[in-house]
Amino acid sequence: MPESHDFFIAADPESVRARVRDALAREGYTVEDGEQGALRATRGSMGLTLLIGGLANDRTFHTRLDVQVMVTADGRTVARLIRGSGKAALKGGALGVSRGNRAFEQAANALHTEFTQAGILTDSVAG
């Protein structure tokens, strides 16, 4: 499973941040501003996840994702979705890892759909 996913977008960084916020909010994430224009998205309950681990459902299993929005040397905007620093295996063993993988994949798909429907996605690369 990739640790990050880069989306190359034909739009300015601020509108990309707004679209990322909207797409992840529709997936049940709370999105906050991070350092240097990054976004931090969290979903679920850490307490409940630690209590019942991998038995938590997709929306209650604690998940953290980070999104860095940057501009390349050639002027393209990139939104990099990064797995959060939470340790899924410690929060539910094999089921926790599976939930973490699924959450990352769902978020990547949501962003891909958002950018594609807006007609601004120029490339997408899992890393």
Side-chain angles (χ1 to χ4, degrees), residues 12-96:
D12 65 278
E14 285 309 310
S15 65
V16 169
R17 277 186 197 84
R19 287 188 179 278
V20 167
R21 255 183 215 288
D22 291 346
L24 293 180
R26 284 192 298 276
E27 291 295 308
Y29 287 89
T30 299
V31 184
E32 300 172 343
D33 292 329
E35 295 179 18
Q36 300 176 340
L39 299 170
R40 181 177 40 255
T42 56
R43 177 173 78 180
S45 164
M46 179 64 87
L48 186 58
T49 300
L50 292 174
L51 182 65
I52 64 174
L55 299 176
N57 68 38
D58 284 351
R59 295 286 173 133
T60 59
F61 184 84
H62 183 264
T63 305
R64 176 178 164 192
L65 301 169
D66 295 302
V67 182
Q68 296 173 338
V69 179
M70 57 204 129
V71 178
T72 64
D74 62 357
R76 295 189 298 170
T77 301
V78 180
R80 176 172 291 157
L81 176 67
I82 304 168
R83 288 177 182 272
S85 59
K87 307 291 185 211
L90 299 176
K91 297 187 294 187
L95 285 175

